[in-house]
Amino acid sequence: MPFPHPALIEIAAGRAPAHLVSPERIVSSAREHRMTGLLWSCVREGGVSVGGPDRRELAQDDLAVRAHTRHLWAVLRDVVDRLNTLGFEVATVKGVTAEARWYSRVGERPSSDVDLLVAPKDVDRIADVVEVLDPGYPYRS
């Protein structure tokens, strides 16, 4: 994986990019590095000029990421509620919770899953946690 486009580094750092070599290169680099949401925010705010099909594709990517993020939040709420109801204590890390805390809007930090930490007091009951989440999982013990 090549290094991200230099303008993406600036955008990720919260700075306006100094220059663009080519909008096509920055869009393909953003896709490769899962930074299309950050790039789209910058495009919407006027910090980067991307037009035509690239602009449309960025907008479509953003809609898809936002829909997936909403799904992940629903899954996360369900899992945490189910585990808490049974007395398990968990914390959420990375992914959607990091995005909610440190990013400007939904869609800027794509996630593919949810991550939970189980409280140290519940580690000896990890098979029970897995049983709640996936009763048919063959290696839960």
Side-chain angles (χ1 to χ4, degrees):
M1 173 182 307
F3 198 72
H5 189 288
L8 291 175
I9 302 299
E10 296 301 311
I11 292 168
R15 299 185 292 261
H19 67 285
L20 286 180
V21 175
S22 108
E24 298 80 26
R25 276 195 50 232
I26 194 171
V27 171
S28 64
S29 182
R31 279 205 177 100
E32 184 173 4
H33 295 282
R34 299 184 65 194
M35 296 177 71
T36 56
L38 284 172
L39 178 57
W40 179 238
S41 291
C42 192
V43 167
R44 288 178 45 205
E45 295 164 4
V48 172
S49 179
V50 174
D54 288 323
R55 184 180 183 91
R56 187 171 39 257
E57 288 178 20
L58 276 175
Q60 289 171 339
D61 288 354
D62 191 65
L63 287 172
V65 168
R66 288 172 42 209
H68 184 66
T69 300
R70 282 192 300 276
H71 172 72
L72 289 177
W73 272 112
V75 167
L76 185 58
R77 278 190 294 273
D78 176 59
V79 166
V80 169
D81 288 348
R82 287 169 47 202
L83 292 174
N84 285 166
T85 299
L86 296 171
F88 296 105
E89 190 178 340
V90 296
T92 61
V93 294
K94 303 184 336 183
V96 294
T97 54
E99 179 184 61
R101 182 175 186 162
W102 289 309
Y103 288 76
S104 297
R105 65 174 191 85
V106 173
E108 288 188 344
R109 187 201 189 282
S111 302
S112 56
D113 60 9
V114 295
D115 298 284
L116 297 174
L117 296 176
V118 176
K121 70 177 182 64
D122 293 326
V123 170
D124 61 336
R125 298 175 53 206
I126 199 70
D128 297 331
V129 170
V130 175
E131 179 71 26
V132 169
L133 299 179
D134 188 0
Y137 186 70
Y139 305 108
R140 61 188 169 277
S141 61

